[in-house]
Amino acid sequence: MRNYGSEKKYYNEIKGVNSRLDELQAAFLTIKLKALDQNNIKRQKIAKFMTMDFRM
């Protein structure tokens, strides 16, 4: 467990990033997060339209 669940030290199956948000980034993302569901619905509608257009 000392190696965060890895059996072999310094071996990771999935690459990750260790990063931190500063206050400015967090402020922007907080605003964008409020519109996330709405933006995802819009993207899904566009994707559905594009998929239907290619089938014809």
Side-chain angles (χ1 to χ4, degrees):
M1 274 301 189
R2 261 188 101 122
N3 293 324
Y4 301 99
S6 179
E7 294 178 12
K8 188 176 177 184
K9 192 172 185 176
Y10 301 119
Y11 173 77
N12 301 299
E13 292 181 23
I14 301 171
K15 275 192 175 180
V17 177
N18 184 9
S19 62
R20 295 186 173 97
L21 294 177
D22 61 22
E23 291 83 8
L24 187 59
Q25 288 174 317
F28 280 113
L29 290 175
T30 300
I31 293 168
K32 288 183 66 87
L33 187 60
K34 293 176 184 175
L36 182 63
D37 290 334
Q38 223 173 5
N39 290 339
N40 284 338
I41 290 169
K42 186 176 179 181
R43 286 187 193 97
Q44 289 171 352
K45 286 180 181 179
I46 293 170
K48 187 176 181 180
F49 173 76
M50 294 296 288
T51 304
M52 288 173 50
D53 196 38
F54 287 128
R55 289 184 188 165
M56 293 183 173

